[in-house]
Amino acid sequence: MKPKIIAIVGTNASGKSAVGLELARRYGGEIVSADSRQILRGYDLCSGKVTAEERQAVPHHLLDIADAGAYFSLSDYQTQAYAAIDDILARGKLPFLVGGTGLYVNAVADGYDLVDAGPDEQLRGRLEAMSAAELVQLLRERSGGVPDYLDVNNKRRLVRACEVLLSGRDFAETRACRPRYEVLKIGITWERPILRQRIDERLRIRLEQGMIDEVRQGLEAGVAYEAFYNLGLEYRFIARYLRGEFDSREEFVEKLKTAICQFAKRQMTWFRRDASIRWVDMHGDPVAQASQWIDAFLRGE
């Protein structure tokens, strides 16, 4: 019998963090973040990180564990997630894996067999000298296409994908899997018009709270523009805005909203391929519905 864990997955602005927080509180559990942006120190608004008060209410793991621009691989995430989950289980608590980075979720839930020898600096140097378009073309020529999860505007991840490919290794989702846990996956999202409204409102609030200042302060502290550009979405657009690449703040905000919606669509494309995810009805009581599934899962039903 494998240990049991709960995964709460979904799109940006869907409310998965709030649902995960309430469920973890209800079951006396702890949360392991599965968000590739929330691992970064010091960028709470840009990544939509939970508040200090929420972290006090329910213990959270794998937040603020890497610096912007530092090398942090999928294998690094999996290793630390396994350690956090095993520690939670050893203390008799229920782990909740919560986040929208599908590759992170699957690496842990499905048990990707990852071997990470670290970056090949010589190869990486050659790849970093190429444009994003050239890297995409390289992936298409060598592997027949670009994986759905890969943001073609994120050069850092394109470089990493090409490193993996050229080293003779497969992409993560094609690897052998050795699951360590029995996982109940619960999905959180909304219909597209409602999700768009939620994205717009969340972005408005975070901008008012000082999201632009987070990136400005990072740039002033010496973090390279390219580091923010390669981190994707909010980081990229804010860095471009501070560089004067938009005609107005209004243009910046509208284009960022559109990019977030497009990202949410890619997230759903990823998650819909997983038939094991059970999607709650957000128009009802999502916590009550999810609790019924969790109770049955814990009973072995």
Side-chain angles (χ1 to χ4, degrees):
M1 293 292 292
K2 295 183 177 68
K4 294 183 177 183
I5 70 172
I6 313 298
I8 308 295
V9 305
T11 55
N12 272 5
S14 62
K16 62 184 177 296
S17 294
V19 172
L21 188 72
E22 182 55 35
L23 287 169
R25 190 186 346 247
R26 179 172 294 197
Y27 287 88
E30 299 185 12
I31 291 174
V32 177
S33 173
D35 189 301
S36 62
R37 299 178 302 164
Q38 293 185 4
I39 64 172
L40 299 179
R41 298 183 182 92
Y43 299 98
D44 298 351
L45 293 172
C46 284
S47 63
K49 211 172 290 177
V50 294
T51 65
E53 292 75 18
E54 289 169 329
R55 294 189 218 183
Q56 286 182 344
V58 174
H60 282 67
H61 304 264
L62 271 62
L63 301 175
D64 305 317
I65 58 174
D67 294 317
Y71 174 76
F72 191 90
S73 70
L74 180 63
S75 180
D76 291 329
Y77 172 78
Q78 185 193 56
T79 298
Q80 295 197 34
Y82 280 163
I85 290 170
D86 290 346
D87 174 65
I88 295 167
L89 290 167
R91 290 184 282 104
K93 303 289 187 178
L94 182 61
F96 284 80
L97 185 66
V98 181
T101 302
L103 197 57
Y104 276 17
V105 172
N106 287 7
V108 173
D110 299 340
Y112 285 166
D113 185 14
L114 299 173
V115 178
D116 188 1
D120 179 334
E121 298 297 345
Q122 189 173 27
L123 173 59
R124 173 165 290 188
R126 295 199 302 270
L127 293 171
E128 287 179 342
M130 300 170 65
S131 67
E134 289 171 331
L135 292 167
V136 169
Q137 184 61 30
L138 177 61
L139 288 172
R140 286 174 176 158
E141 290 174 353
R142 295 297 184 93
S143 68
V146 179
D148 289 340
Y149 67 82
L150 199 60
D151 179 359
V152 296
N153 293 311
N154 189 326
K155 187 176 176 182
R156 178 176 64 90
R157 293 191 179 174
L158 287 172
V159 166
R160 182 59 181 155
C162 288
E163 275 187 298
V164 172
L165 182 64
L166 295 178
S167 68
R169 291 175 281 166
D170 297 326
F171 289 119
E173 75 273 18
T174 66
R175 291 182 179 279
C177 294
R178 296 180 176 83
R180 296 175 57 153
Y181 314 109
E182 186 179 351
V183 184
L184 171 63
K185 296 179 182 177
I186 297 173
I188 310 292
T189 194
W190 295 85
E191 299 90 343
R192 191 170 298 176
I194 296 177
L195 188 61
R196 173 72 193 224
Q197 292 174 2
R198 292 176 63 88
I199 287 171
D200 290 356
E201 178 63 10
R202 188 176 76 157
L203 179 59
R204 181 188 66 78
I205 292 171
R206 288 158 67 188
L207 285 169
E208 289 177 355
Q209 292 174 334
M211 187 166 65
I212 293 175
D213 290 334
E214 283 189 346
V215 176
R216 179 184 288 113
Q217 290 165 8
L219 291 168
E220 291 174 351
V223 179
Y225 166 82
E226 290 75 15
F228 285 114
Y229 187 91
N230 290 332
L231 287 174
L233 277 180
E234 290 90 345
Y235 302 99
R236 177 189 307 140
F237 276 79
I238 293 172
R240 291 179 59 201
Y241 172 68
L242 293 173
R243 242 189 174 187
E245 295 184 19
F246 296 99
D247 292 334
S248 65
R249 182 185 173 95
E250 290 72 23
E251 181 193 13
F252 150 69
V253 171
E254 286 306 312
K255 289 191 173 180
L256 177 52
K257 286 179 183 178
T258 299
I260 296 172
C261 289
Q262 291 171 341
F263 178 69
K265 184 178 179 180
R266 291 198 300 272
Q267 286 178 304
M268 279 308 300
T269 298
W270 174 279
F271 289 125
R272 281 189 178 128
R273 296 186 305 183
D274 188 342
S276 70
I277 297 176
R278 306 182 69 172
W279 296 92
V280 298
D281 178 6
M282 295 299 288
H283 294 286
D285 186 337
V287 172
Q289 185 178 15
S291 295
Q292 291 180 346
W293 294 338
I294 293 171
D295 289 342
F297 173 69
L298 295 177
R299 290 193 302 263
E301 299 175 2

